[in-house]
Amino acid sequence: MLVEGSMRNLKLVTVVGARPQFIKAAAVSRAIAANNAASGSTRISERIVHTGQHYDANMSEVFFRELEIPPPAVNLEIGSGTHGAQTGAMLQRLEETLTAERPDWVLVYGDTNSTLAGALAAAKLGIPVAHVEAGLRSFNRAMPEEINRVVTDRLSSLLLCPTRQSVANLIAEGIEDGMRQTGDVMYDSVLFHADRAKQNRDVFARAGVTAGEYVLATVHRAENADDVGRLAEIIAGLSASRLPVVMPVHPRTRARVAEAGVRLNGSIRAMEPVGYLEMLALERAARAIVTDSGGVQKEAYFLGVPCVTVREETEWVELVEAGWNRLVGADRAAIAAGLAWASASDRPPKGVGLYGDGRAAEKVVAELIAAAA
Ligand code: UD1
Ligand code: UDP
């Protein structure tokens, strides 16, 4: 860390690569800018390294533009591939980049292959790793994300936990050093953007629906998209919905649907992935949300919309316990029952403070500064 007079300069490299990471990193970059504008004694210089895991304009560039994220200092343009090929290519290029940059910290988010590669490259170079969204567990090692989480947490010096459950999970694994509960930066993000998102009403006409009279669905998890039986069952459940189902289709799912000859028909209104503000607008005005996304499960709760999760388990168990989220698996009858529950007028009670107080990003920055002192 550079010290000039009484001012310290903390050098941070943020590694991102996939859609949800851009959204999370935007909240922390904003908190870094606020820290630097204040009269504190530590300035943080952040360099964003984009692995290129997501590269379509509507999976990457749109978020940098809309959320005013500082442009990546480097884009490694790794692209798609098998887990080993993709993670290995990232690791090799990240090692070169981090060797050149020599930051005080590497900051990683969530549970993607970009998270794992960032943590592993940094740890092997002796650069401390800070993990935002530490401690999440599905206890399902068949999920690539679970492997990424477990390894990333083992390698991290600062484990920034969004929920009480994530803290309990780390304690159960004996990982307590460097663990802090900050709240969830995705909650900060929804609070910050919710009003702006309300203006994005064109998306309803594009989707061919009326606000308040549709279901919103997203499906992209490998366990659903890459399993033809599960995929067909979920699509059948959605296409039989009484209300129209707006479905921004992730490129993985788009490819698998085409390969498997599954038709997005019936009630489904398929569209290209949308930007974050349009997504928030679609979430807020939905009667119900059906998803296998981690982020979308939480946003449903933040925006007061009941959620039906097409998975067998979730990392965000507090939503299920609070009665806000129902796990229905990949079964058309269970999806129909879930939709009937979600569309009923009685809304389940809202839990209080499950994801912090909306200042998680500020806490992440404070913890980085404190840990470097
Ligand atoms: C990844 C993460 C997942 C996260 C999701 C967020 C891993 C192992 N998985 O899954 O945890 O929930 O991002 O969206 O890191 N593709 C494109 N254009 C793109 C990106 C992907 O066409 O811009 C297609 C390619 O065919 C690619 C496939 O989508 O093979 C899957 O992409 P990949 O990044 O490997 O995994 P995701 O399913 O996006
Ligand atoms: N999202 C978006 N446009 C879409 C679908 C999702 O902006 O078409 C946002 C969504 O609001 C949430 C994040 O992407 O903030 C979730 O990412 P994703 O579902 O891809 O990954 P996960 O959270 O499951 O890792």
Side-chain angles (χ1 to χ4, degrees):
M1 188 163 41
L2 210 63
V3 181
E4 283 173 23
S6 60
M7 181 60 85
R8 301 183 312 157
N9 189 39
L10 189 68
K11 190 167 171 192
L12 179 69
V13 165
T14 296
V15 177
V16 289
R19 172 168 69 187
Q21 295 169 328
F22 310 137
I23 294 162
K24 293 167 200 173
V28 175
S29 292
R30 224 174 25 252
I32 289 173
N35 170 79
N36 293 349
S39 55
S41 58
T42 306
R43 200 184 170 282
I44 298 181
S45 62
E46 182 188 32
R47 306 254 296 160
I48 295 180
V49 176
H50 189 326
T51 63
Q53 178 171 350
H54 285 175
Y55 44 85
D56 291 346
N58 59 17
M59 295 294 289
S60 173
E61 189 260 333
V62 64
F63 301 101
F64 283 84
R65 185 164 29 85
E66 271 190 335
L67 306 183
E68 295 171 15
I69 308 170
V74 187
N75 188 328
L76 303 177
E77 296 181 351
I78 301 299
S80 306
T82 62
H83 288 281
Q86 187 184 52
T87 313
M90 288 177 190
L91 193 55
Q92 185 176 359
R93 296 291 315 282
L94 282 167
E95 185 175 63
E96 291 162 12
T97 309
L98 295 177
T99 301
E101 296 277 341
R102 271 284 147 198
D104 298 304
W105 282 97
V106 167
L107 184 59
V108 295
Y109 291 87
D111 53 18
T112 73
N113 288 347
S114 298
T115 316
L116 174 65
L120 195 48
K124 286 285 183 82
L125 291 170
I127 302 168
V129 177
H131 183 203
V132 171
E133 224 174 69
L136 271 293
R137 295 290 182 269
S138 64
F139 302 101
N140 175 2
R141 291 273 172 111
M143 285 180 81
E145 292 85 356
E146 185 75 353
I147 313 272
N148 294 343
R149 294 178 193 123
V150 167
V151 178
T152 301
D153 284 340
R154 281 277 156 201
L155 299 176
S156 296
S157 304
L158 198 50
L159 298 112
L160 302 156
C161 298
T163 58
R164 277 169 59 184
Q165 183 65 46
S166 54
V167 167
N169 292 340
L170 289 182
I171 292 172
E173 290 178 22
I175 308 178
E176 293 190 44
D177 277 357
M179 182 181 71
R180 309 277 187 274
Q181 188 175 345
T182 54
D184 194 320
V185 297
M186 288 190 82
Y187 181 41
D188 302 16
S189 181
V190 167
L191 293 177
F192 187 80
H193 291 289
D195 281 344
R196 236 178 110 206
K198 280 186 199 154
Q199 293 151 20
N200 283 256
R201 300 190 66 80
D202 293 356
V203 70
F204 302 124
R206 237 171 52 240
V209 293
T210 307
E213 292 174 27
Y214 63 89
V215 170
L216 175 68
T218 75
V219 179
H220 78 279
R221 281 271 147 232
E223 75 213 46
N224 286 331
D226 295 1
D227 178 327
V228 183
R230 288 182 69 92
L231 183 62
E233 199 62 24
I234 293 169
I235 298 303
L238 295 175
S239 64
S241 161
R242 188 176 55 78
L243 288 169
V245 178
V246 178
M247 185 171 177
V249 185
H250 187 287
R252 174 192 288 275
T253 311
R254 177 78 71 186
R256 297 299 177 268
V257 158
E259 283 160 20
V262 175
R263 300 253 294 277
L264 300 177
N265 57 9
S267 297
I268 298 175
R269 312 277 181 269
M271 63 196 301
E272 288 300 306
V274 296
Y276 180 66
L277 297 176
E278 287 191 336
M279 187 65 180
L280 289 185
L282 283 172
E283 287 172 341
R284 178 199 283 279
R287 188 80 73 78
I289 291 177
V290 179
T291 193
D292 59 9
S293 158
V296 175
Q297 287 174 63
K298 288 180 290 174
E299 287 164 353
Y301 165 73
F302 300 148
L303 296 166
V305 181
C307 185
V308 174
T309 297
V310 282
R311 288 182 51 194
E312 310 305 320
E313 75 280 304
T314 179
E315 301 74 28
W316 308 101
V317 287
E318 53 285 326
L319 294 176
V320 177
E321 286 158 10
W324 202 256
N325 188 0
R326 282 205 175 176
L327 296 171
V328 298
D331 174 89
R332 69 185 79 185
I335 293 169
L339 279 174
W341 160 76
S343 300
S345 53
D346 271 359
R347 296 275 165 111
K350 246 184 153 177
V352 179
L354 297 178
Y355 296 94
D357 59 4
R359 303 177 80 172
E362 219 176 286
K363 290 179 189 146
V364 165
V365 169
E367 293 296 351
L368 280 167
I369 290 174

